[in-house]
Amino acid sequence: MSRVLIVGAGLTGSLCACLLRRELQNKVQIEVWDKARGSGGRMSTTRPPDSSSHSADLGAQYITSTSSYAQSHQRFYSELLSAGVLQPLDSLVEGLKHRDGDENYMTPQGMSSVVKHFLSQSGADLFLERHVTGLYRRGASWEVQRKVGGSEMFDAVVLTMPAPQILQLQGDVGQMLSVSQKQQLEDVEFSSRFAVALFFPPDVVFSFPWSARYVSDSSIIRYIAADSRKRNADVLGRGPSLVVHTSVPFGLKHLEEDKEAVQPIILQELHKLLPGLPEPISIKCQKWRYSQVLTSVPDSPGHMTLLQRPPLLCAGDSFVHSNFSGCVESALSALSALKASL
Ligand SMILES: Cc1cc2nc3c(=O)[nH]c(=O)nc-3n(C[C@H](O)[C@H](O)[C@H](O)COP(=O)(O)OP(=O)(O)OC[C@H]3O[C@@H](n4cnc5c(N)ncnc54)[C@H](O)[C@@H]3O)c2cc1C
Ligand SMILES: *[C@@H]1O[C@H](CO)[C@@H](O)[C@H](O)[C@H]1NC(C)=O
């Protein structure tokens, strides 16, 4: 039995784990490690500290299937739809570009439920607050070092964090990279932005008609969602929530500032855009240093093999594009490489 470690409990990591289990059944023992306190990665759903009836998506907002991916990734969409994880997005999203054949979906339980679905299907052992700091080659195994609590040995490792974070790892990763691979990873560019979630008392009803709106007349705010309405959570008696995404230029400009210092600027702009907004009971701000991929690794199959035996692979949206279909492509491609090496 091979011991496989997947680093990152985001969509790519959870899909890798799930597909690996479905292909190799009980021939593998799968562990998923994430440095965060919860799973989801950039498909993150947050809750205020003092309420279990509120939640909001701070990262990815909805899932789109284009006509071509609706075919090639059909099994993933139908699986999530029949599990009730995805539902058609029926409410009004102002400014959403619609192309023929596009289908938009929302997640009634929040975006992280997509990741949780695949994780639970995978039967993998999930370890949170496990921050990988380095990888060392030890004969036919990889010794994986973590920030707290020593290191462990695995027969294969898949890294699914953004390319800049792969380059930060210590140990033998740097040596495994060829000159051109290193250059390709260094050339990956991400946008940065801030996200703010506001949670309101249960009786608050938003006065605007949309569930989300792309903002075109602000240099600070790019997108606002009545998150609870978007997810039809209002009708389930869930607490109202609002999510704001800043523009990328604003994100870049304030990238090195503390989110506590940036949050008031965003809120001031929000009140200009939505005058009369009621007082929230709780606010959460998130800095997405690595938000979405602007430039991915060119001509990539969806993953990068750093070493064939013992296998060390990189995957994630850095190798495709930043959305659901990009992560599916990456996981499929990493799976076929892993199968061939195990
Ligand atoms: C603001 C925003 C809006 C978006 N909107 C959409 C949208 O509407 N639709 C859509 O389809 N996509 C959207 N995306 C993109 C989508 O969220 C990402 O493409 C997708 O979630 C990436 O998944 P991933 O698993 O590849 O990476 P991630 O989700 O980033 O997962 C990587 C994981 O690795 C962990 N990690 C990193 N370093 C380490 C380490 N050293 N040790 C252990 N763990 C580590 C991280 O904590 C993280 O959980 C959006 C993203 C953002 C930020
Ligand atoms: C994902 O993003 C890519 C690149 O921006 C785009 O070509 C593709 O159509 C998107 N996929 C979906 C399903 O929206």
Side-chain angles (χ1 to χ4, degrees):
M1 187 156 81
S2 303
R3 257 167 70 79
V4 180
L5 174 66
I6 293 166
V7 183
L11 181 57
T12 305
S14 67
L15 267 169
C16 279
C18 176
L19 295 171
L20 194 61
R21 173 69 66 212
R22 285 177 184 168
E23 288 279 337
L24 297 180
Q25 305 279 331
N26 51 9
K27 291 198 212 77
V28 280
Q29 191 228 329
I30 310 170
E31 289 196 10
V32 178
W33 291 9
D34 201 293
K35 66 176 181 179
R37 276 192 301 173
S39 56
R42 278 170 280 154
M43 296 203 158
S44 96
T45 305
T46 186
R47 277 169 219 290
D50 39 15
S51 162
S52 57
S53 74
H54 284 89
S55 65
D57 290 327
L58 277 174
Q61 293 294 303
Y62 42 79
I63 287 175
T64 306
S65 84
T66 57
S67 46
S68 67
Y69 284 122
Q71 287 185 351
S72 61
H73 295 166
Q74 200 262 335
R75 59 178 161 134
F76 300 100
Y77 294 110
S78 20
E79 176 177 341
L80 292 171
L81 279 162
S82 63
V85 174
L86 289 190
Q87 273 178 22
L89 176 73
D90 293 326
S91 54
L92 174 65
V93 180
E94 272 187 18
L96 178 66
K97 279 182 235 125
H98 185 86
R99 286 167 299 185
D100 270 355
D102 278 9
E103 294 287 346
N104 296 309
Y105 302 105
M106 55 81 176
T107 49
Q109 292 105 37
M111 271 289 160
S112 69
S113 64
V114 174
V115 173
K116 292 193 163 91
H117 171 85
F118 291 120
L119 277 175
S120 80
Q121 290 285 310
S122 76
D125 298 313
L126 171 66
F127 296 93
L128 297 168
E129 295 182 273
R130 279 219 181 160
H131 189 154
V132 173
T133 50
L135 287 118
Y136 300 85
R137 198 185 158 182
R138 305 280 184 243
S141 308
W142 282 103
E143 180 182 344
V144 184
Q145 186 184 62
R146 48 189 218 238
K147 205 172 199 170
V148 184
S151 57
E152 277 184 47
M153 306 293 265
F154 289 91
D155 301 310
V157 179
V158 184
L159 305 170
T160 70
M161 59 280 240
Q165 294 179 320
I166 293 173
L167 288 166
Q168 286 163 17
L169 293 171
Q170 291 158 6
D172 298 332
V173 175
Q175 283 166 35
M176 295 298 148
L177 288 168
S178 70
V179 174
S180 73
Q181 283 180 322
K182 184 156 185 277
Q183 191 62 52
Q184 286 181 330
L185 292 182
E186 281 172 352
D187 288 345
V188 172
E189 271 188 302
F190 273 82
S191 62
S192 302
R193 57 173 105 233
F194 290 83
V196 181
L198 296 88
F199 303 98
F200 296 92
D203 56 338
V204 162
V205 178
F206 300 125
S207 57
F208 43 80
W210 37 265
S211 72
R213 171 157 85 104
Y214 286 88
V215 178
S216 52
D217 53 354
S218 163
S219 62
I220 299 173
I221 291 177
R222 175 72 188 108
Y223 170 90
I224 309 172
D227 197 80
S228 47
R229 186 183 276 170
K230 177 194 83 186
R231 291 185 282 118
N232 271 350
D234 290 10
V235 293
L236 300 170
R238 298 280 180 204
S241 56
L242 206 70
V243 166
V244 178
H245 286 170
T246 71
S247 70
V248 171
F250 178 87
L252 262 184
K253 184 174 163 207
H254 298 276
L255 187 57
E256 302 311 331
E257 290 169 43
D258 290 340
K259 59 186 185 188
E260 290 73 19
V262 179
Q263 178 179 311
I265 311 174
I266 302 168
L267 291 179
Q268 196 185 15
E269 181 73 358
L270 179 65
H271 284 284
K272 267 194 227 163
L273 292 168
L274 298 177
L277 194 68
E279 199 58 38
I281 47 179
S282 180
I283 301 177
K284 191 153 178 180
C285 185
Q286 164 91 27
K287 184 197 285 183
W288 293 115
R289 181 178 292 273
Y290 305 112
S291 181
Q292 284 128 303
V293 177
L294 296 172
T295 315
S296 56
V297 173
D299 307 318
S300 164
H303 76 281
M304 187 182 268
T305 301
L306 302 196
L307 193 69
Q308 210 135 29
R309 280 197 184 81
L312 176 60
L313 310 179
C314 310
D317 56 3
S318 304
F319 301 90
V320 196
H321 46 242
S322 280
N323 51 33
F324 180 82
S325 56
C327 296
V328 172
E329 284 294 288
S330 179
L332 288 169
S333 126
L335 174 79
S336 62
L338 201 55
K339 251 178 27 184
S341 304
L342 276 177

